Amino acid sequence: MEKNSKFIILLGAPGSGKGTQGKILAEIIGYKTVSTGDLLRNEISSGTQIGKKAEEIVKSGKLVTDQIVLEILESYLTSTSSKGFILDGFPRTLNQAVMLENLLEKLESSVAYAINFEVNQEDLVKRLSSRFSCSNCKEGYNKLFKMPLKEGICDKCGSKEFTTRADDKPEVIRERFNEYNKLTAPLIPFYKNSGVFFNIDANRNIDEIRSELVSLVKNY
Ligand code: AMP
């Protein structure tokens, strides 16, 4: 990555739509999205040492150690070139937020925005248990509001294979919310004090949220 890269942090509970919106925003503004969940799932499916350590924890809905996530994030960032990055799912603890500050100082880069996707948690279990993705290109879909345009065929790559996440089961979803409320929600006051914090009402549809997000990032 280059010096003076800008980082946009997306905060929000599991299923708040930050992953979907992060990908859309990245395409529009020419940044790369980094999802630490995706990086971990790649490690798990490739059977690496890190993947083996993380697998059971990810399956249970708990957070993996800060050290593991920092390691895969740093190795991704230092080997990827982009003028900016959108972080989806990192930081997820106060300790990770401090680690990120230190890492960005080392990389001579900074956080431009921390955007919180505010949602009604009661709606999220339904949202999460309705989502699926293309097995080939990983494009995300949801039975409630984003089906492929042609039934059974991925809009992006034409594949007919789809998959659901092992941790999108109701009992694991509950554990992920517990982790979010206990460990991640305290990041909101942390970033509120940093001058780069913005709230987005993420209870609306994809297009409305996208247009607010784009104007927020472009107008600032
Ligand atoms: P996600 O795709 O962001 O919902 O993440 C899926 C799972 O990966 C989480 O439930 C955690 O087990 C793990 N994970 C992803 N990002 C982090 C992180 N920043 N810190 C700890 N665990 C993480």
Side-chain angles (χ1 to χ4, degrees), residues 9 25 27 29 34 50 54 56 64 66 68 77 81 85 89 110-111 140 147-149 160 166 184 206-207 215:
I9 295 171
L25 183 64
E27 269 187 31
I29 62 174
V34 192
I50 286 187
E56 287 311 311
V64 308
D66 293 342
I68 289 182
L77 291 176
S81 125
F85 293 91
S110 58
V111 174
M147 289 296 283
L149 297 173
K160 291 181 179 162
T184 311
I206 292 184
D207 288 340
S215 70

Side-chain angles (χ1 to χ4, degrees), residues 87-104:
L87 297 183
D88 163 18
F90 188 94
R92 238 177 170 112
T93 62
L94 283 170
N95 190 34
Q96 289 180 14
V98 174
M99 286 171 150
L100 179 64
E101 304 271 299
N102 294 336
L103 177 63
L104 294 190

Side-chain angles (χ1 to χ4, degrees), residues 111-114 190-198 220:
V111 174
Y113 304 92
F190 176 88
Y191 281 109
K192 263 191 183 155
N193 292 327
S194 71
V196 294
F197 181 84
F198 297 87
Y220 187 66

Side-chain angles (χ1 to χ4, degrees), residues 73-84:
L73 178 68
E74 184 164 0
S75 105
Y76 175 86
L77 291 176
T78 47
S79 60
T80 307
S81 125
S82 180
K83 61 178 177 182

Side-chain angles (χ1 to χ4, degrees), residues 14-15 18 35-38 40-41 54 57-66 69 88-93 96 131 165 167 176:
K18 60 188 185 336
S35 150
T36 44
D38 283 347
L40 284 165
R41 283 183 286 277
I57 307 172
V58 172
K59 263 198 207 151
S60 74
K62 291 206 174 287
L63 295 187
V64 308
T65 64
D66 293 342
V69 195
D88 163 18
F90 188 94
R92 238 177 170 112
T93 62
Q96 289 180 14
R131 68 184 185 179
R165 279 174 47 168
D167 57 355
R176 287 162 63 205

